[in-house]
Amino acid sequence: VKLSLKGIDITNLEDDLFKINEIKSGNKWDQSYEVNPDIIKAPVLFITETVDTYYELPAENWAGVLGKRMPTAFRLTVENTSEATMKNIKIVKKLHEYFAEPIFDQSNVVGKLSYDSSNHEILWEIDSLGPKAKVETEIRSAFTPETKEPYGAGEIKATYEVLDIIRTKIDGMDEG
């Protein structure tokens, strides 16, 4: 089998043609390479989270009052910084157990919000986000600070697809 690669100029590969001998069933062939670090740019998905610990007041608040239930808002902004359309965006926000079950309004959100109470995770699914576009949502909850120690807002993870942009992609074509 001959494998011809395009786009190797961004890697440390010296040859764009590989001759691969017979590969027995259950075995594999692989070729390690490194991508030139100058090619890797800033992420194409940018997420901003603002936590307001008393959203009922007009100004944003970051402090809590010991022993007092604090209505808390998590404002998430997702921005596509690329020139291509993003698809299948999934934002997973972990809520610590000290937060009450979240409340969100589906009517004014791009995509779909859901909550998995067994894992304390909010899932925001966005089908598509155009180039340079930005969307935002607000999730409300509450907590009661019991100590003076800082409280965390929870981890955020994201997955997405950008099909029309090449960053570190190497295209392969089987020639034989």
Side-chain angles (χ1 to χ4, degrees):
V1 175
K2 291 181 184 175
L3 178 65
S4 176
L5 299 176
K6 297 178 186 172
I8 69 162
D9 54 318
I10 63 170
T11 72
N12 65 342
L13 292 173
E14 294 178 9
D15 195 359
D16 64 351
L17 183 64
F18 291 91
K19 294 178 183 171
I20 306 166
N21 294 328
E22 182 178 339
I23 301 172
K24 294 183 180 180
S25 177
N27 290 348
K28 66 178 184 172
W29 175 89
D30 61 14
Q31 174 64 48
S32 298
Y33 66 91
E34 292 179 14
V35 175
N36 180 345
D38 296 334
I39 299 297
I40 301 172
K41 299 178 182 175
V44 293
L45 181 72
F46 193 76
I47 302 171
T48 305
E49 178 181 41
T50 304
V51 180
D52 184 347
T53 58
Y54 203 77
Y55 63 79
E56 294 172 348
L57 295 177
E60 288 180 354
N61 295 276
W62 301 284
V65 178
L66 283 177
K68 180 178 172 156
R69 187 168 175 85
M70 305 301 298
T72 305
F74 302 94
R75 290 184 193 91
L76 297 175
T77 303
V78 174
E79 182 179 1
N80 176 359
T81 63
S82 78
E83 300 292 334
T85 298
M86 276 187 188
K87 298 185 184 278
N88 300 320
I89 304 163
K90 290 183 174 61
I91 309 295
V92 179
K93 163 127 181 84
K94 180 83 169 171
L95 275 185
H96 290 290
E97 294 178 10
Y98 43 79
F99 285 106
E101 188 162 319
I103 300 166
F104 37 80
D105 183 2
Q106 289 282 5
S107 67
N108 64 357
V109 68
V110 172
K112 179 184 172 200
L113 285 166
S114 59
Y115 180 65
D116 178 353
S117 59
S118 63
N119 292 319
H120 300 278
E121 290 179 340
I122 299 164
L123 174 62
W124 185 11
E125 297 175 288
I126 305 166
D127 291 335
S128 177
L129 188 59
K132 305 292 184 189
K134 187 187 290 190
V135 292
E136 167 175 294
T137 192
E138 182 174 278
I139 300 153
R140 293 184 173 186
S141 184
F143 80 109
T144 304
E146 301 296 336
T147 71
K148 293 180 184 178
E149 298 301 314
Y151 285 80
E155 179 180 58
I156 297 175
K157 294 182 181 179
T159 59
Y160 56 92
E161 295 175 15
V162 183
L163 304 177
D164 300 332
I165 190 170
I166 296 177
R167 285 272 174 104
T168 59
K169 180 180 174 186
I170 295 182
D171 295 321
M173 183 175 75
D174 180 352
E175 292 187 351

